[in-house]
Amino acid sequence: MEDPAPGRSGAELQIILATVLRTWPSFRLTSLAPRAQAVVTVKPDRMHGILAGNLHPPRRSTPPGVAMGADHQIAFFLRESARPEPERRAAALKGLGRIGRGDHAGVLVGAAGDPDPRVRAAAALALGRLGIPAAGRDVLPLLMGDADPDVRRRASVAAVRLGLDGPAVTGAFARLLSDPDHHMRINALDGLTALGVPGDAIALAALLGDPDFTVWGRARTLLYTCREDPAVRAELIRAARRCTGAARARALEWLPERCTEQLLDSLLTGLHDPSPAVRIEAARRLFHVEQQQVQDKLAAVLRSEEHPEAAAGLLRGLGGRGDDRVTEPAVRWLRDPVAGPSAARALGTVDSGTAAAHLREALSDETLSPRTRAAAAAAIGTAGRWDAVWLLLSLLDDPDDEIRAGVLDGLETRVENGLRPWERHPVAWALAEHLATDEKHVWRTRNALDGLAQALPDVRRLADNAPSGEVLAAALSLLDGDDPDNEHTRHDLRRFLRGLDDPHEAVRYQAVLGLQRWAQATGSLPPDSGRTRDRLTALTEDTSPRLRQAATRLLGVADSGPP
């Protein structure tokens, strides 16, 4: 809600000084001993506080019993509110709003009709400060339509502060949705959000195209709040069909997927919209339409697209469908810093020797952006050709963090999809060693190791002698715990029990999860369960929420018995 701090005019400062001089007493020297007269210094920054309604002199310099009383101040403000000078009237109203009472509301309401906009703005501000909704219910909606923007602003802020409602207030906020001053649009949206109503569905939907995020973000939130309103739904459909630029794009983004069919014709024309944002949103919706002519249209648009972000969206969508027609456009966009990563990922989804050659070239081309090379590494893992594993292992220790992340993602995909027998041990050894050395990507490496049984001997060594708590936690998460007849599982069980006392929260958490796998398989806690239960009970009061929940869940599984 916009409510900028008011300025201080020369007339306001005159009021301050006149008040201080009129009310400040003089002191006489006592006959017993000379005593310096109290000196009062009113600094400029204190004047602002005095004008706001506290006309008392500074407390540290004020002799007791001489401060002006509230009634005296109110009487002074009432006299000043009738002065011929607009500045003095405005200053008096602001002070009256700060310290006045309910029986002074009439003065503020009457000042709302003052011919000077400074006085009307001060009246609106004072009504908000006074805090009596009934006083502002009739006059503030009128001031929200004032010709002066400062009056409208003050009135809209006051209406929100007072929590005013009713048709007149809603209508006033609705009109402000189209105000040329963005502060007023923000205040209108705040007021309508507090009321939980759209005000004017047409004007509200139009604000999706506002250039200011503080405006269109609030508008989107209010549209979501009022999404069940038939007028709002109808206006959003209309905006998705006929609005232009950002308003249309955001309407398309906001509408649920079930609206795609009724928007189909508009979406197809939207693929050629001058706004890249509209083209991106139209394409995003059409990727899920299972009609060959629609997919043909998307492929044709990709061939002619010239905007990098729009091309990236088309490459992601068509690549996700495994459409071979992305190959040529993807190669064309591969060197673009924006669309390049999407182009690389798209090439990884097509079964083409040409695509594989371009991915290998991109992976080794140091002139490409690290994001594109990382995407190429992940795409090579997705494509899974005969040389994929060896290409990725060669870059596993690349100095660039992004490239290593892409390599690990590619290796994870290869492990998930099934490595060839002669690939399993080299990948397991390399990843287990990498787990201990790459602090940046501990959990990415862990995910790539998941399911790779050949790595377990090295992972168990890390679980006994890890270089850091994070690596130890990752190693514990990979260990078995659900086969009580396996000798390795019994050793892993001891590792889990030892981990319950580790100083690192991640280690304690993974140790509890390992014991939970055991309890789910056996229906009980491991041997020496008395000490284990005591330790788990203590962990149910740990400072970590996830650890408390995991320990509580484990005790519940153990108490429920065998599955």
PDB file of all heavy atoms in Angstrom, residues 133-151:
ATOM      1  N   PRO A 133     -14.164   4.094  11.407  1.00  0.00           N
ATOM      2  CA  PRO A 133     -14.673   3.758  10.076  1.00  0.00           C
ATOM      3  C   PRO A 133     -15.926   4.531   9.698  1.00  0.00           C
ATOM      4  O   PRO A 133     -16.072   4.957   8.549  1.00  0.00           O
ATOM      5  CB  PRO A 133     -14.929   2.249  10.161  1.00  0.00           C
ATOM      6  CG  PRO A 133     -13.998   1.776  11.236  1.00  0.00           C
ATOM      7  CD  PRO A 133     -13.925   2.888  12.226  1.00  0.00           C
ATOM      8  N   ALA A 134     -16.842   4.708  10.625  1.00  0.00           N
ATOM      9  CA  ALA A 134     -18.098   5.386  10.295  1.00  0.00           C
ATOM     10  C   ALA A 134     -17.856   6.811   9.800  1.00  0.00           C
ATOM     11  O   ALA A 134     -18.614   7.325   8.977  1.00  0.00           O
ATOM     12  CB  ALA A 134     -19.014   5.396  11.511  1.00  0.00           C
ATOM     13  N   ALA A 135     -16.776   7.449  10.293  1.00  0.00           N
ATOM     14  CA  ALA A 135     -16.510   8.829   9.896  1.00  0.00           C
ATOM     15  C   ALA A 135     -16.092   8.927   8.438  1.00  0.00           C
ATOM     16  O   ALA A 135     -16.386   9.915   7.758  1.00  0.00           O
ATOM     17  CB  ALA A 135     -15.432   9.425  10.793  1.00  0.00           C
ATOM     18  N   GLY A 136     -15.394   7.903   7.943  1.00  0.00           N
ATOM     19  CA  GLY A 136     -14.909   7.973   6.571  1.00  0.00           C
ATOM     20  C   GLY A 136     -15.740   7.212   5.567  1.00  0.00           C
ATOM     21  O   GLY A 136     -15.454   7.250   4.360  1.00  0.00           O
ATOM     22  N   ARG A 137     -16.786   6.539   6.013  1.00  0.00           N
ATOM     23  CA  ARG A 137     -17.525   5.642   5.120  1.00  0.00           C
ATOM     24  C   ARG A 137     -18.123   6.367   3.919  1.00  0.00           C
ATOM     25  O   ARG A 137     -18.124   5.843   2.796  1.00  0.00           O
ATOM     26  CB  ARG A 137     -18.626   4.927   5.905  1.00  0.00           C
ATOM     27  CG  ARG A 137     -19.295   3.806   5.120  1.00  0.00           C
ATOM     28  CD  ARG A 137     -20.253   3.034   5.994  1.00  0.00           C
ATOM     29  NE  ARG A 137     -19.605   2.536   7.200  1.00  0.00           N
ATOM     30  CZ  ARG A 137     -18.838   1.449   7.237  1.00  0.00           C
ATOM     31  NH1 ARG A 137     -18.615   0.765   6.127  1.00  0.00           N
ATOM     32  NH2 ARG A 137     -18.291   1.059   8.372  1.00  0.00           N
ATOM     33  N   ASP A 138     -18.638   7.580   4.116  1.00  0.00           N
ATOM     34  CA  ASP A 138     -19.294   8.292   3.023  1.00  0.00           C
ATOM     35  C   ASP A 138     -18.333   9.189   2.253  1.00  0.00           C
ATOM     36  O   ASP A 138     -18.429   9.316   1.030  1.00  0.00           O
ATOM     37  CB  ASP A 138     -20.455   9.139   3.568  1.00  0.00           C
ATOM     38  CG  ASP A 138     -21.567   8.272   4.138  1.00  0.00           C
ATOM     39  OD1 ASP A 138     -21.757   7.147   3.620  1.00  0.00           O
ATOM     40  OD2 ASP A 138     -22.233   8.707   5.097  1.00  0.00           O
ATOM     41  N   VAL A 139     -17.395   9.812   2.970  1.00  0.00           N
ATOM     42  CA  VAL A 139     -16.588  10.843   2.331  1.00  0.00           C
ATOM     43  C   VAL A 139     -15.355  10.272   1.622  1.00  0.00           C
ATOM     44  O   VAL A 139     -14.949  10.782   0.578  1.00  0.00           O
ATOM     45  CB  VAL A 139     -16.168  11.907   3.377  1.00  0.00           C
ATOM     46  CG1 VAL A 139     -15.182  11.353   4.379  1.00  0.00           C
ATOM     47  CG2 VAL A 139     -15.594  13.124   2.688  1.00  0.00           C
ATOM     48  N   LEU A 140     -14.755   9.201   2.150  1.00  0.00           N
ATOM     49  CA  LEU A 140     -13.536   8.678   1.530  1.00  0.00           C
ATOM     50  C   LEU A 140     -13.772   8.126   0.127  1.00  0.00           C
ATOM     51  O   LEU A 140     -12.943   8.351  -0.767  1.00  0.00           O
ATOM     52  CB  LEU A 140     -12.891   7.623   2.433  1.00  0.00           C
ATOM     53  CG  LEU A 140     -12.190   8.174   3.677  1.00  0.00           C
ATOM     54  CD1 LEU A 140     -11.677   7.045   4.562  1.00  0.00           C
ATOM     55  CD2 LEU A 140     -11.039   9.100   3.288  1.00  0.00           C
ATOM     56  N   PRO A 141     -14.868   7.396  -0.148  1.00  0.00           N
ATOM     57  CA  PRO A 141     -15.099   6.976  -1.543  1.00  0.00           C
ATOM     58  C   PRO A 141     -15.181   8.160  -2.502  1.00  0.00           C
ATOM     59  O   PRO A 141     -14.737   8.058  -3.654  1.00  0.00           O
ATOM     60  CB  PRO A 141     -16.421   6.212  -1.462  1.00  0.00           C
ATOM     61  CG  PRO A 141     -16.479   5.696  -0.062  1.00  0.00           C
ATOM     62  CD  PRO A 141     -15.849   6.760   0.763  1.00  0.00           C
ATOM     63  N   LEU A 142     -15.731   9.291  -2.047  1.00  0.00           N
ATOM     64  CA  LEU A 142     -15.789  10.480  -2.898  1.00  0.00           C
ATOM     65  C   LEU A 142     -14.388  11.041  -3.134  1.00  0.00           C
ATOM     66  O   LEU A 142     -14.032  11.414  -4.255  1.00  0.00           O
ATOM     67  CB  LEU A 142     -16.685  11.546  -2.265  1.00  0.00           C
ATOM     68  CG  LEU A 142     -18.162  11.166  -2.093  1.00  0.00           C
ATOM     69  CD1 LEU A 142     -18.901  12.268  -1.343  1.00  0.00           C
ATOM     70  CD2 LEU A 142     -18.804  10.913  -3.453  1.00  0.00           C
ATOM     71  N   LEU A 143     -13.584  11.090  -2.084  1.00  0.00           N
ATOM     72  CA  LEU A 143     -12.224  11.606  -2.238  1.00  0.00           C
ATOM     73  C   LEU A 143     -11.360  10.683  -3.096  1.00  0.00           C
ATOM     74  O   LEU A 143     -10.389  11.132  -3.714  1.00  0.00           O
ATOM     75  CB  LEU A 143     -11.577  11.781  -0.862  1.00  0.00           C
ATOM     76  CG  LEU A 143     -12.162  12.899   0.018  1.00  0.00           C
ATOM     77  CD1 LEU A 143     -11.465  12.925   1.372  1.00  0.00           C
ATOM     78  CD2 LEU A 143     -12.050  14.244  -0.679  1.00  0.00           C
ATOM     79  N   MET A 144     -11.697   9.391  -3.152  1.00  0.00           N
ATOM     80  CA  MET A 144     -10.940   8.472  -4.002  1.00  0.00           C
ATOM     81  C   MET A 144     -11.175   8.763  -5.479  1.00  0.00           C
ATOM     82  O   MET A 144     -10.436   8.254  -6.335  1.00  0.00           O
ATOM     83  CB  MET A 144     -11.302   7.026  -3.667  1.00  0.00           C
ATOM     84  CG  MET A 144     -10.734   6.568  -2.322  1.00  0.00           C
ATOM     85  SD  MET A 144     -11.526   5.086  -1.663  1.00  0.00           S
ATOM     86  CE  MET A 144     -10.975   3.861  -2.828  1.00  0.00           C
ATOM     87  N   GLY A 145     -12.160   9.574  -5.798  1.00  0.00           N
ATOM     88  CA  GLY A 145     -12.393  10.009  -7.173  1.00  0.00           C
ATOM     89  C   GLY A 145     -11.992  11.448  -7.408  1.00  0.00           C
ATOM     90  O   GLY A 145     -12.355  12.036  -8.438  1.00  0.00           O
ATOM     91  N   ASP A 146     -11.253  12.037  -6.475  1.00  0.00           N
ATOM     92  CA  ASP A 146     -10.847  13.440  -6.572  1.00  0.00           C
ATOM     93  C   ASP A 146      -9.931  13.646  -7.778  1.00  0.00           C
ATOM     94  O   ASP A 146      -9.199  12.743  -8.197  1.00  0.00           O
ATOM     95  CB  ASP A 146     -10.128  13.850  -5.285  1.00  0.00           C
ATOM     96  CG  ASP A 146     -10.016  15.351  -5.133  1.00  0.00           C
ATOM     97  OD1 ASP A 146      -9.077  15.945  -5.722  1.00  0.00           O
ATOM     98  OD2 ASP A 146     -10.867  15.943  -4.445  1.00  0.00           O
ATOM     99  N   ALA A 147      -9.969  14.877  -8.307  1.00  0.00           N
ATOM    100  CA  ALA A 147      -9.126  15.190  -9.466  1.00  0.00           C
ATOM    101  C   ALA A 147      -7.650  15.236  -9.102  1.00  0.00           C
ATOM    102  O   ALA A 147      -6.790  15.049  -9.975  1.00  0.00           O
ATOM    103  CB  ALA A 147      -9.559  16.526 -10.067  1.00  0.00           C
ATOM    104  N   ASP A 148      -7.325  15.481  -7.846  1.00  0.00           N
ATOM    105  CA  ASP A 148      -5.933  15.587  -7.429  1.00  0.00           C
ATOM    106  C   ASP A 148      -5.390  14.210  -7.035  1.00  0.00           C
ATOM    107  O   ASP A 148      -5.986  13.520  -6.202  1.00  0.00           O
ATOM    108  CB  ASP A 148      -5.819  16.535  -6.234  1.00  0.00           C
ATOM    109  CG  ASP A 148      -4.378  16.812  -5.866  1.00  0.00           C
ATOM    110  OD1 ASP A 148      -3.805  17.739  -6.439  1.00  0.00           O
ATOM    111  OD2 ASP A 148      -3.832  16.075  -5.018  1.00  0.00           O
ATOM    112  N   PRO A 149      -4.252  13.795  -7.603  1.00  0.00           N
ATOM    113  CA  PRO A 149      -3.752  12.442  -7.307  1.00  0.00           C
ATOM    114  C   PRO A 149      -3.361  12.244  -5.847  1.00  0.00           C
ATOM    115  O   PRO A 149      -3.518  11.159  -5.306  1.00  0.00           O
ATOM    116  CB  PRO A 149      -2.529  12.301  -8.234  1.00  0.00           C
ATOM    117  CG  PRO A 149      -2.157  13.683  -8.622  1.00  0.00           C
ATOM    118  CD  PRO A 149      -3.416  14.474  -8.608  1.00  0.00           C
ATOM    119  N   ASP A 150      -2.849  13.298  -5.195  1.00  0.00           N
ATOM    120  CA  ASP A 150      -2.471  13.134  -3.791  1.00  0.00           C
ATOM    121  C   ASP A 150      -3.698  12.901  -2.917  1.00  0.00           C
ATOM    122  O   ASP A 150      -3.648  12.125  -1.953  1.00  0.00           O
ATOM    123  CB  ASP A 150      -1.716  14.377  -3.313  1.00  0.00           C
ATOM    124  CG  ASP A 150      -1.008  14.127  -1.986  1.00  0.00           C
ATOM    125  OD1 ASP A 150      -0.401  13.045  -1.825  1.00  0.00           O
ATOM    126  OD2 ASP A 150      -1.082  14.995  -1.102  1.00  0.00           O
ATOM    127  N   VAL A 151      -4.805  13.545  -3.254  1.00  0.00           N
ATOM    128  CA  VAL A 151      -6.043  13.325  -2.512  1.00  0.00           C
ATOM    129  C   VAL A 151      -6.508  11.882  -2.701  1.00  0.00           C
ATOM    130  O   VAL A 151      -6.888  11.198  -1.743  1.00  0.00           O
ATOM    131  CB  VAL A 151      -7.136  14.315  -2.954  1.00  0.00           C
ATOM    132  CG1 VAL A 151      -8.446  14.027  -2.217  1.00  0.00           C
ATOM    133  CG2 VAL A 151      -6.698  15.752  -2.702  1.00  0.00           C
TER     134      VAL A 151
END
